[in-house]
């Protein structure tokens, strides 16, 4: 039978229904229960933590840990690519982590090696003021008995 | 670059003693990423131990939590996968331990700050 344009009767259904059917399939459900899924999920904490830290005071960045994480994620990007079966979720996790750690490394280098002490003092005061304001807001919202 | 690497490996191949050949040529052996990636995770432990000297106010709560969580979960998973991976298990135990220790330091420090205020 011939179908024209975006007929809902096209082979297997349209992309959306095919997608939903895949999500409901046994294959996908067993993947969700496997270590191939939950292992990488556990690792996503690292890039998410780094992305959250990008807004914070650069003095919180550990140069050693950030460098170690950068090389570690590079190694695991290749690991995720070469492992059988190929694990794209793990690859995406470590790719994101490398980007985030690189951003933190640049912030760290800029803060300690490009800026001068006066600029650092100014930034320190800015972060302290911001922290003071946040604490004051909390104190107003939850009055102590 | 890869030509240099291959030449170096050819030379090294001759020096590996016969007894160690099966390990050297193993599909998860030192010529593969399956060996070096978990081995490199030890750098996270070393960095974590070096960071023990950092003052508690300079530590990142989110990063320590993430490291502790990933260490704990992967320690369990390395015993569940087939074959069991003791290298991965041991490194993740240490990642979890250093992460949890740093987390304890941060929590204690913040509690002290609140108590003082």
């Amino acid at each position: 039978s011939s179908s024209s344009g975006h007929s809902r009767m096209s082979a297997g259904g349209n992309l959306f229904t095919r997608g939903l059917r895949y999500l409901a399939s046994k294959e996908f459900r067993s993947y969700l229960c496997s270590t191939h899924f939950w292992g990488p999920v556990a690792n996503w904490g690292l890039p998410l933590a780094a992305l959250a830290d990008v807004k914070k005071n650069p003095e919180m960045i550990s140069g050693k840990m950030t460098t170690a994480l950068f090389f570690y994620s590079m190694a695991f990007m290749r690991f995720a690519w070469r492992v059988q079966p190929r694990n794209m979720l793990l690859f995406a996790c470590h790719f994101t982590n490398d980007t985030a750690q690189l951003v933190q490394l640049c912030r760290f280098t800029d803060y300690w090696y490009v800026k001068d002490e006066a600029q650092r003092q100014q930034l320190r005061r800015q972060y302290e003021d911001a922290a003071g304001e946040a604490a004051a807001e909390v104190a107003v919202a939850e009055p102590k008995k | 670059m890869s030509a240099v690497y291959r030449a170096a490996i050819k030379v090294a191949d001759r020096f590996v003693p016969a007894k160690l050949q099966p390990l050297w040529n193993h599909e998860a052996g030192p010529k593969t990423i399956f060996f070096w990636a978990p081995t490199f995770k030890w750098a996270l432990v070393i960095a974590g131990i070096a960071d023990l000297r950092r003052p508690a106010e300079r530590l990142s709560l989110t990063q320590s939590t993430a490291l502790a969580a990933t260490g704990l979960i992967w320690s369990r998973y390395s015993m569940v996968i087939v074959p069991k991976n003791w290298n991965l298990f041991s490194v993740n135990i240490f990642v979890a331990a250093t992460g949890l220790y740093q987390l304890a330091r941060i929590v204690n420090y913040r509690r002290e700050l609140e108590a003082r205020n």
Side-chain angles (χ1 to χ4, degrees):
Chain A
S1 59
S2 63
S3 51
S4 58
H6 306 285
S7 160
R8 281 177 162 267
M9 286 301 157
S10 50
N14 61 23
L15 190 64
F16 183 65
T17 37
R18 266 187 283 149
L20 284 181
R21 231 181 287 149
Y22 175 69
L23 290 179
S25 71
K26 215 175 197 173
E27 189 192 336
F28 185 70
R29 274 180 285 146
S30 71
Y31 164 68
L32 280 185
C33 298
S34 74
T35 187
H36 296 291
F37 179 70
W38 289 105
V41 165
N43 262 325
W44 269 100
L46 287 172
L48 294 177
L51 291 170
D53 279 351
V54 164
K55 313 185 202 114
K56 298 191 190 141
N57 188 347
E59 291 199 349
M60 307 281 272
I61 304 173
S62 160
K64 298 187 191 86
M65 185 54 93
T66 309
T67 313
L69 282 166
F70 180 69
F71 286 107
Y72 152 81
S73 273
M74 260 204 281
F76 271 93
M77 270 199 280
R78 180 173 169 81
F79 179 94
W81 188 258
R82 288 301 218 97
V83 78
Q84 285 285 24
R86 187 165 281 177
N87 198 325
M88 288 311 286
L89 184 60
L90 189 68
F91 182 84
C93 164
H94 284 293
F95 183 83
T96 313
N97 196 34
D98 256 352
T99 313
Q101 299 299 339
L102 194 56
V103 167
Q104 289 290 70
L105 261 180
C106 292
R107 290 179 72 224
F108 178 83
T109 317
D110 174 66
Y111 186 81
W112 291 109
Y113 296 98
V114 174
K115 289 192 158 61
D116 58 35
E117 188 55 37
Q119 289 170 304
R120 283 196 282 269
Q121 286 285 43
Q122 189 184 23
L123 275 170
R124 260 175 223 138
R125 262 179 274 130
Q126 272 178 0
Y127 280 105
E128 270 171 28
D129 290 343
E133 276 173 28
E137 272 175 45
V138 170
V140 164
E142 305 165 2
K144 293 205 162 86
K145 286 189 192 139
Chain B
M1 255 321 337
S2 65
V4 173
Y5 171 76
R6 266 180 272 136
I9 289 292
K10 264 210 189 125
V11 171
D13 275 339
R14 273 184 264 143
F15 284 97
V16 176
K19 259 200 237 167
L20 294 179
Q21 289 277 3
L23 273 177
W24 175 249
N25 292 314
H26 194 270
E27 57 186 7
K31 287 198 247 180
T32 70
I33 190 69
F34 306 112
F35 175 83
W36 289 108
T39 306
F40 201 78
K41 204 160 182 178
W42 283 102
L44 295 186
V45 176
I46 297 167
I49 293 176
D51 271 353
L52 290 179
R53 300 174 60 222
R54 274 168 76 88
E57 65 256 21
R58 296 272 188 93
L59 294 171
S60 162
L61 178 69
T62 38
Q63 191 172 77
S64 302
T65 314
L67 284 167
T70 192
L72 285 171
I73 295 173
W74 275 98
S75 301
R76 196 229 155 203
Y77 276 129
S78 54
M79 291 292 103
V80 163
I81 57 177
V82 177
K84 286 191 190 179
N85 194 330
W86 290 102
N87 185 21
L88 202 59
F89 176 75
S90 50
V91 72
N92 280 294
I93 287 284
F94 276 85
V95 168
T98 49
L100 285 168
Y101 184 75
Q102 293 287 57
L103 200 53
R105 284 180 65 204
I106 299 170
V107 167
N108 273 333
Y109 171 75
R110 294 196 182 187
R111 272 214 200 120
E112 263 175 52
L113 262 189
E114 267 181 44
R116 259 188 271 148
N117 290 348

